[in-house]
């Protein structure tokens, strides 16, 4: 078995003072924080597509990194990627991975051949999983890259494309079931529209729900135990995607009665005009918190840059939401992140993952400190305390009438009980906790 | 009774060739289009706040237009505005109006006095309505301007503010009932957050629903016959408003089982990252189409500019959605639009409304032509025709199983039936209809 | 010689009532408007890259249109594209074209071979130009697609990449000279940075100027008679491009004393936060107006969508600026536009160009009407008339001192002479002219 | 002399572990870092407008904080603000302040009276400065708030407004001269346009330069020793401001030969599509670095939120640029920042300044560590080292010809010397330095 990254050792925790670029400074997998090992809190996952497939191609230029793994035959390449992927997981200590069906095996001449290609590689992956103990966080079907989905998959105006998508997702769910995946994700890259001039929105939404329902039912019927996720994204590649953001997707799932959770990607949230924390907060509040695609976008760029997460404010607030949600159950932190195009070395894969893992490790440490510090949580509790008794309690209990509230307000004359929201003070607390 | 705009005549339709700035070029109220008079299609409404109150103040400068109507006494001013407002409606031929409670009467020392002020002015408005036949499209309570609502109204962490808001909305609904309003709107200008650091999102959402439910029930109990609307807006003044966009609000209304419709504002839609047409399409598709706040935003500016609508592409696509929704029932086109700050003359109010009314009149004419032309509708129908028979029909009917679709797909091998989405052709059709 | 588009006839002008999708409705090439034939005003150009090379690939999917032109050999493909391109120009009546060096011929094993490939194809193009009378609006060197330019070309931290870029541009200018190009464009797709953490901005800017200077001097030395252009773009593919917008580029050209003009792309302007008209107005005002990349962006999407221009407001205001600048001299309207990915037919190329040409034809017609109408120009003239005499004239002549202005202001007490900016009225005039 | 903030003690440095909200955790004014006391590096300044005038008013609501300072008389209020301002500076240890003329004294009936009002207050300020040693970082004239400037000041189409502006700036420069200001700032809040339909851009730009030139010359003639600054902002309140960003302003200053520097505001930079660091880097690179308006914007909101700066990444990268520019000479960090509207207590002023000062103190500490760490600077140096010798040196020296570079490139065949840009590694270094 070839070693693809011979210059890269197993990455170890060496602490904040180490000057070894190939060491963790903050991620100490076995260290306990808030009652769990760091690795069990963070449940890092390697994304097959970016890490093993993406080569730096963008809309204005071809690849900069050689990810041919010494072969040009598509099936040999697929096999080499399995080796390379498990080597990366081994060396970084990442315990989970995630893939689209088309990341792991090439399409054949027709669906039958494509499925046979998948079977070959899934055999290999299954063996490696057994050997190494690595686990599948979730898999998914790529129903956006091939021209057959140019108008959508579940939302295609063409019933043939819908049928093909149904078959493709069925196979991907079977693979997930076989590999014991903890989740299965739907990201509808073409489930939207490019122009309303040619679009029947109502039929498309209904059809999308039809596809999801039949796939979920099928998955449960064959014993799939993981979560089903929808991953929100507002736009790109299409002008508008129906899975715009957390709130929109939750509304959709409720309308159609679909039992799914959310896989939230940081960069998708910001493209929708929300912070990463907001998207997580909505999911947590509404009971749809599931898994996370861990990356960061550039707030001044209008497309999905999928950068490795470096911003510890973001990771702290994200891990704060994760801890408040009770931690990941079946979900995890999947690095849907790619090295920048000019990061043209294979070793940049490791630098990037180390950086991303250390950033989330810092986020976990900070979130734990923030909760232990308690000032912010206590402030919030007190801020809403008027609903714990008196007229406030009646409002919450649903026993106050409009007439009673009017009497109360007339007697009051005006509201005299507002106190400061103290945003700047709370930001100071956060900085003190982070840098103190 | 004073005439406040003595230099402005009644605005008449003079047709596209007229060089009279104070004439309609495209809005011919009595002309029939698509089976109704233009005025009955468009149901224009004057917004009390911008037209009678806004004086050009912005965050960097004080007012530029004198809207003191020759008085400095608050109640006299309120009365003068009634006169001025009905004069504007009379001269422009606008048949509806809309107001916040605080637009029409000043706040007093306490809620009781404020309500008495309202009663005085409502008497006056009622009399003018009887005299002129003008109608109230909707009213609303301003629960965002006063410091008592600095943290929200229905979502305030302070139960006193909630109680006050409940009382205020109750009064505003009573006024709407008395004046025979065709609607009542909730726009939650502070129903959101400035920072998640101090926010209990779950409680705030539940409380917002509690407020809406009790007000709606109260309204129905006293005989309010109009629609209840929520008006989406994503942000501004707060960082995040819960009523982000049409999809989010519809999800919220479904979750809490609230029987409301949407009042969609063009500029709010674009701030949320959507086109005006998109917001209308979502509302129509989901069965929540209600009324429209007619304005336009500057797509390069990140705040609510509330410009008078001039873009005939926008008005055409908006009226296309309105016609497809069956036209306005109780809703209408409310000019939530203000003259630019440097448009410092009172006559600019008339120039702006003429321009806005002509723009929507053009939009109606064009939308009607587009539908009569039929090429676009026919294209869409054919585009989805695969769902009318065969495997497509089974998908839509819910009789196709995943297994059957897989068999179908395996037999197909690949999708060979996609045809072009023809966006550029459809855009050409639209231009031909508009400029041909 | 193969015909690649056998189903497409020569596109003729049939007028606004024609229901022939393959006819111009508004573009009548020989019709005279404002003293010139339409075709001489508009000087349409076909973009080799989008029209002959782009196949619908985007970051999330592979091509949807087959532009292999029946061959898989790179040089045969290059030759076929020449045939196809001239067929398109012939059938649409487009008289100009534009290309990057790498659009017309494939790279070889090394620079020498690449240049030989170019020579072969340039021979072919030259022959076709002689045969057909078609002209080269401008050519350019693609110094962004190849990994060698991953860090920039003129701004690369690697002197080897700079040297290579210098050689590549030299060759492209020689080709332009040989083909009698009316211009040569520099678009610096990688001339910027991805992170300031690794960037020496001062050296990069100086080097970019060094490259431009040596290429311009070389071009003039070998008899190149066309304009040299810089094409502004703010970002994408990089995080920040030095050629951010018109104002920035003009500042750069002045600093380094470079004799160049601007090639302004609509979609690049909007990505920089400006309207298309703004970018043209700046160029015209500062004396740097050159040529135009005609397309449109989606104002709600944050990347370069390069859509075919359909919006007649935009084309009207653009052609207004062009007419005010005295019309194109050596520049033209180059369709840097691509059919949408789901527009997967080769005939969509024709639908899209027809639509784009008709949109600009409408723009020209409307701009001419607007100028003939005269109301807007007259309004502007009067608005600034206070600078034609008195204190205003002294200000403009530079004879007023601060002390004198203070005395004048003290005597005035306050400004009492402001009049309305009349934005809404002017927008009404524009709509009347466009739709009347 | 009244104490306006009796509950606020002098804020002292108590270190990162202190739980005293009214203490500095990171700002230790007398501590030496990089060869200077922290206070001399940071040169904090209090902004009169936000701190003493802004009361929480926004476009949707009236004030939430009482800044009447126990009086309703305008001149008494102006005097009280002087007392309050110096109390704030005293208690926070801020050594500089900045104001618009209209912040410190109310307008009178006419310019003469307004100037007399100014004289009264300037007397007071001068006395307080002598007494306390506090210094004026810069002053400016508010030439955007009054309706007289609704169309601009230097760019007004009305020569009377220009004359008035000239007189107003003259007076403000005289005040700055008298108070020994270290700078004078021009921020052109209305120097732009709302619509190009009514705008003569060329005349406006020329006039703006005329105004600046005459004011600078006058200032120097009366002995003003400070810097003259332009403060870039792209938009808001107008649709487009001519002083769009650093690059644009520098181009303008060069064109008109104006000897000025930049006052860079973080939030204005982000509104223009740039990072704060970018704007500082451009100014530093081009030799126009002057002073800083220290705040932060919300990257998801499209208006100037002017939040107190809390983000230590931003402050670190900003202070890195400041240190690399050699530190502030006459400039400083002016808190052009306002407490959030719901931060309705007067004590929030102190919490906010403490937070902002601590954030920049952290930024200074981190920037110093980053420079001392040296890894990033060394990486950059090596990255460009190919320009230190060989062909690279000839390029930089201007001795390489295009022909020579072509020969070099032909011999090379292709570029084989590119190395990774290492963005992720550099981000890891930054996190290690910040959190290690």
């Amino acid at each position: 078995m070839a070693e693809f990254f011979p210059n890269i050792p197993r990455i170890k925790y060496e602490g904040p003072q180490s000057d070894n670029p190939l060491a963790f400074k903050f991620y100490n997998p076995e260290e306990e924080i808030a009652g769990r090992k760091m690795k069990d809190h963070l449940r890092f996952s390697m994304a097959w597509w970016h890490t093993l497939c993406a080569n730096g191609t963008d809309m204005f230029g071809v690849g900069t990194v050689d990810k041919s793994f010494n072969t040009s035959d598509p099936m040999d390449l697929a096999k080499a990627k399995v080796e390379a992927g498990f080597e990366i997981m081994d060396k970084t200590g990442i315990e989970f991975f995630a893939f689209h069906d088309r990341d792991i095996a090439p399409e054949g001449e027709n669906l039958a051949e494509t499925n046979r290609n998948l079977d070959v590689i899934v055999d290999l992956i299954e063996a490696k999983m057994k050997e190494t103990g690595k686990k599948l966080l979730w898999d998914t079907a790529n129903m956006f890259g091939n021209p057959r989905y140019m108008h959508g998959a579940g939302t295609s105006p063409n019933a043939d494309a819908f049928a093909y998508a149904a078959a493709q997702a069925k196979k991907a769910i079977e693979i997930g079931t076989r590999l014991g995946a903890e989740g299965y994700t739907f990201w509808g890259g073409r489930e939207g529209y490019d122009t309303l001039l040619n679009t029947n929105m109502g039929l498309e939404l209904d059809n999308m729900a039809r596809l999801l329902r039949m796939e979920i039912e099928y998955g449960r019927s064959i014993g799939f135990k993981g979560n089903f996720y929808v991953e929100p994204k507002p736009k790109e590649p299409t002008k508008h995607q129906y899975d715009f953001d957390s709130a929109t997707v939750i509304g959709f799932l409720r309308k159609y009665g679909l039992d799914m959770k959310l896989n939230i990607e940081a960069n998708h949230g910001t493209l929708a005009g929300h912070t990463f924390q907001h998207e997580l907060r909505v999911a947590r509040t509404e009971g749809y918190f599931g898994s996370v695609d861990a990356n960061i976008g550039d707030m001044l760029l209008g497309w999905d840059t999928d950068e490795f997460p470096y911003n510890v404010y973001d990771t702290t607030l994200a891990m704060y939401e994760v801890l408040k949600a009770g931690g990941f159950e079946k979900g995890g932190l999947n690095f849907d992140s790619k090295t920048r195009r000019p990061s043209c070395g294979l070793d940049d894969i490791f630098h990037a993952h180390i950086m991303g893992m250390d950033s989330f490790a810092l986020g976990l440490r900070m979130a734990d400190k923030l909760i232990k510090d308690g000032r912010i949580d206590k402030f919030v509790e007190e801020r809403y305390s008027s609903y714990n008794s008196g007229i406030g309690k009646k409002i919450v209990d649903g026993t106050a009438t409009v007439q009673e509230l009017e009497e109360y307000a007339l007697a009051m004359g005006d509201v005299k009980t507002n106190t400061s929201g103290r945003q700047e003070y709370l930001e100071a607390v956060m900085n003190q906790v982070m840098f103190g």
Side-chain angles (χ1 to χ4, degrees), chain A:
Chain A
M1 186 180 88
E3 198 183 359
F4 287 107
F5 313 97
N7 302 319
I8 306 291
R10 271 222 180 96
I11 312 301
K12 301 220 171 64
Y13 174 72
E14 299 187 0
Q17 304 312 321
S18 166
D19 60 359
N20 176 4
L22 292 170
F24 295 117
K25 317 295 180 298
F26 306 101
Y27 177 55
N28 190 6
E30 302 294 329
E31 183 180 338
E32 269 214 14
I33 290 193
R36 277 206 225 177
K37 291 182 179 176
M38 289 186 87
K39 66 178 186 179
D40 296 330
H41 270 298
L42 296 167
R43 293 169 61 88
F44 290 124
S45 159
M46 182 194 76
W48 215 268
W49 53 102
H50 286 316
T51 299
L52 298 167
C53 307
N55 68 353
T57 300
D58 67 18
M59 285 303 287
F60 295 84
V62 301
T64 57
V65 199
D66 182 359
K67 290 190 180 168
S68 66
F69 299 109
N70 311 323
T71 178
S72 61
D73 174 80
M75 279 303 284
D76 286 350
L77 176 59
K79 289 170 191 170
K81 282 187 203 166
V82 176
E83 299 295 335
F86 278 84
E87 184 181 342
I88 291 170
M89 286 188 271
D90 178 51
K91 291 188 168 174
T92 54
I94 290 176
E95 308 222 325
F96 294 88
F97 58 103
F99 59 76
H100 303 83
D101 48 3
R102 301 306 176 244
D103 303 333
I104 61 167
E107 292 209 40
E109 288 294 299
N110 51 50
L111 181 56
E113 188 180 320
T114 301
N115 285 351
R116 283 192 298 273
N117 288 347
L118 277 168
D119 292 337
V120 173
I121 304 299
V122 169
D123 283 349
L124 222 64
I125 292 177
E126 193 177 35
K128 292 296 269 184
M129 287 173 73
K130 210 162 287 179
E131 186 188 318
T132 63
K134 303 295 181 191
K135 281 164 282 182
L136 180 56
L137 191 69
W138 49 260
D139 70 327
T140 182
N142 176 331
M143 310 199 299
F144 50 85
N146 190 288
R148 78 175 69 91
Y149 298 123
M150 71 173 86
H151 305 303
T155 65
S156 175
N158 183 355
D160 282 359
F162 184 105
Y164 200 100
Q168 188 178 337
K170 173 176 178 289
K171 178 73 181 173
I173 291 169
E174 290 163 359
I175 291 170
T177 306
R178 181 174 158 200
L179 297 179
E182 313 218 351
Y184 182 88
T185 293
F186 286 90
W187 174 65
R190 306 274 174 200
E191 311 295 31
Y193 62 80
D194 282 296
T195 174
L196 281 174
L197 290 177
N198 69 15
T199 300
N200 181 337
M201 187 186 278
L203 179 58
E204 294 205 357
L205 286 166
D206 287 346
N207 279 353
M208 188 160 76
R210 285 177 183 121
L211 180 65
L212 294 176
R213 178 169 300 114
M214 68 174 72
E215 298 295 343
I216 292 170
E217 286 174 4
Y218 177 73
R220 294 307 177 210
S221 80
I222 62 166
F224 183 76
K225 299 274 186 286
N227 287 328
F228 283 102
Y229 302 117
V230 173
E231 179 174 325
K233 188 178 185 188
K235 50 192 164 188
E236 196 204 17
T238 68
K239 175 188 173 35
H240 176 87
Q241 268 144 250
Y242 295 125
D243 298 332
F244 195 80
D245 58 8
S246 292
T248 302
V249 172
I250 290 168
F252 172 86
L253 295 177
R254 284 200 177 116
K255 176 183 174 193
Y256 292 101
L258 296 165
D259 183 21
M260 305 182 76
K261 295 199 173 302
L262 301 190
N263 182 41
I264 289 174
E265 176 169 333
N267 201 162
H268 292 180
T270 50
L271 284 174
H274 307 302
T275 60
F276 184 17
Q277 186 190 12
H278 170 90
E279 287 293 274
L280 292 168
R281 176 71 64 95
V282 168
R284 166 162 82 89
T285 296
E286 301 284 343
Y288 284 81
F289 173 72
S291 196
V292 166
D293 266 17
N295 60 23
I296 192 170
D298 187 310
M299 300 298 278
L300 294 167
L301 301 182
W303 64 93
D304 201 12
T305 60
D306 280 342
E307 300 183 43
F308 273 88
Y310 64 85
N311 189 305
V312 178
Y313 285 102
D314 286 358
T315 59
T316 298
L317 293 169
M319 289 312 299
Y320 175 85
E321 296 298 328
V322 172
L323 290 178
K324 289 284 178 182
F328 289 115
E329 183 207 351
K330 299 186 179 175
L333 293 170
N334 177 52
F335 284 116
D336 189 355
S337 312
K338 61 185 175 193
T339 50
R340 302 301 83 201
R341 188 174 184 266
S343 295
C344 58
L346 283 176
D347 50 347
D348 286 304
I349 295 174
F350 292 88
H351 289 299
H353 278 89
I354 291 168
M355 188 271 277
M357 292 164 80
D358 268 343
S359 297
F360 264 97
L362 277 165
L364 171 61
R365 291 176 186 280
M366 300 302 179
D368 178 53
K369 282 171 68 179
L370 214 55
I371 290 170
K372 292 219 171 83
D373 177 88
R375 279 178 287 177
I376 288 180
D377 285 347
K378 194 171 159 220
F379 184 90
V380 177
E381 207 184 304
E382 284 172 8
R383 192 168 181 241
Y384 292 86
S385 58
S386 65
Y387 289 99
N388 296 338
S389 60
I391 195 75
K393 191 160 186 323
K394 292 180 97 170
I395 291 166
V396 168
D397 291 345
T399 59
T401 64
V402 172
Q403 289 87 338
E404 182 181 0
L405 293 170
E406 186 182 49
E407 274 164 46
Y408 181 91
L410 286 166
M412 230 183 354
D414 202 347
V415 176
K416 294 167 197 104
T417 45
N418 276 331
T419 53
S420 169
R422 283 270 189 273
Q423 179 167 336
E424 294 83 3
Y425 164 70
L426 297 170
E427 289 164 347
V429 168
M430 189 156 165
N431 271 345
Q432 188 183 7
V433 168
M434 288 174 67
F435 297 100

